[in-house]
Amino acid sequence: MKIVSQIKTPIEAEMELFEKKFSNAMFSKVSLLNRITHYVVNRKGKQMRPMFVFLIAKMCNKGIVNDRTYRGASVIELIHTATLVHDDVVDDSNRRRGFFSINALWKNKIAVLVGDYLLSKGLLLSIDNDDFDLLKIISVAVREMSEGELLQIEKARKLDITEEIYFEIIRQKTATLIAACCAMGAKSVNASEEEVENMRHFGELIGIAFQIKDDLFDYGDEQIGKPTGIDIKEQKMTLPLIYALNNASKKEKSWLINSVKNHNKDKKRVKEVIHFVKDNNGLEYATSQMKDYQQRALSLLQKYPESPYKSSLELMVNYVIDRKK
C-alpha cells in the first residue's frame, strides 16, 4: 500500500473531499438502502478509478480541478460499484475484497435493486448538472463492459478464442472503465477533443496491461509460489493459455482443450495444463505483451511537462504491472 499512498500524495485533499461528496451522492430516504450503501462505502478498495480522474484532470489543467471533476469521479465510482454489485449476483459470489458481498448478506433481489439504484444515481448526478458530455463517456463504457462480458460467455462455450478476440474482450471488460476515468478527468477540465482521446487511449493501454497481469497471477507468483489455476477451472481463456494453444501440435491442442473443457475440476490435470503453458513460453509471451502496453502508456505521458501529477501517473502505470496481488 506504500506505493498507493505515494501515488495519492498530490491529490490527497481532493480525495478527502471526494469521499464526502460521494457519501452524500449515495443518500436515500429509504433506511434499508442507506444501511446497504453505508456498508458499500466503508468497504471501498484502493479507489484507483477516482484517483485516475483527479490525476489526469490536474495534469491537463495546471493542477486545478473543478466541481465537474468531483462529479465525474463520483459518477465513475457509483457506476463501477453498481457493476460490482451486479457482477457478484451474476457470478454467485459471496465475497468482495475479503468482506461478504451484498447478495450474500441481503440476497440477490436486493442486490440487483441496489445496483440499479446506484446506476440511476450516477446517471442523475450527470443529468441534474447538465454534464451530458461526461454522461456520454460513462454510458459508452457501460455498454462496452456488458458486451465484453457477453462475448466472453459466448466464446467460453466453444473455447475458440483467438488472441484478437481475447484483446477485444479485455479491452471491453476491464480497460474500458479505466479509459473512461482518464477521458472523464480530461473532459471535466474542458481539455481539447484530441487530448481527451489521448487520455482515453492512455487508460485503455493501462487497463489491458492490468488484465494481463491478472492472467499471470493464475500461474502463481513469487510470494505465494503456488499457482491457483482458478481461470482454468472457470474455463477462462487467458493470454498465456491462448499462446500455448496456438503454438501446440494438433495432439497437444486437443488434449489442452479437452482438459479445460471436461477436466477443469481435476487438480492433477489443471496442474499439468499449468506446466504445459509454462514450458511452452506462455508466461514469457504474456509478460512481454504486458510490458509493451505499459511502455505505450508511458510514452503518451511524455509530451506533458514534469509535475507531481505526471509522476504519480507514471508510478501508477508501473504499479499496475509490478503489483503482487
Side-chain angles (χ1 to χ4, degrees), residues 92-133:
D92 202 14
S93 173
N94 292 325
R95 290 277 185 186
R96 168 71 61 183
R97 296 181 186 127
F99 295 96
F100 283 115
S101 58
I102 291 178
N103 49 304
L105 293 172
W106 285 283
K107 303 288 178 266
N108 282 350
K109 186 176 181 179
I110 288 177
V112 170
L113 293 169
V114 169
D116 291 346
Y117 172 78
L118 295 171
L119 191 61
S120 66
K121 272 286 193 184
L123 302 176
L124 285 168
L125 184 59
S126 297
I127 292 165
D128 291 346
N129 293 284
D130 290 341
D131 295 329
F132 295 106
D133 51 349

Side-chain angles (χ1 to χ4, degrees), residues 33-89:
L33 201 43
N34 285 332
R35 210 160 64 238
I36 296 170
T37 53
H38 179 74
Y39 179 82
V40 170
V41 171
N42 286 340
R43 278 147 192 79
K44 60 184 182 297
K46 299 184 190 87
Q47 292 193 303
M48 289 298 198
R49 286 159 191 86
M51 282 161 67
F52 271 121
V53 177
F54 288 113
L55 287 169
I56 298 273
K58 291 187 98 167
M59 182 180 74
C60 292
N61 198 36
K62 300 187 174 78
I64 299 163
V65 298
N66 56 34
D67 282 346
R68 268 163 58 82
T69 315
Y70 284 98
R71 288 198 296 270
S74 292
V75 168
I76 287 275
E77 201 65 351
L78 281 163
I79 287 176
H80 173 56
T81 309
T83 61
L84 293 184
V85 171
H86 282 166
D87 276 356
D88 286 340
V89 175

Side-chain angles (χ1 to χ4, degrees), residues 53 57 65-66 68-70 72 133-134 137 183-191 196:
V53 177
V65 298
N66 56 34
R68 268 163 58 82
T69 315
Y70 284 98
D133 51 349
L134 304 185
I137 290 170
M184 194 81 98
K187 194 75 170 173
S188 73
V189 292
N190 302 314
V196 171

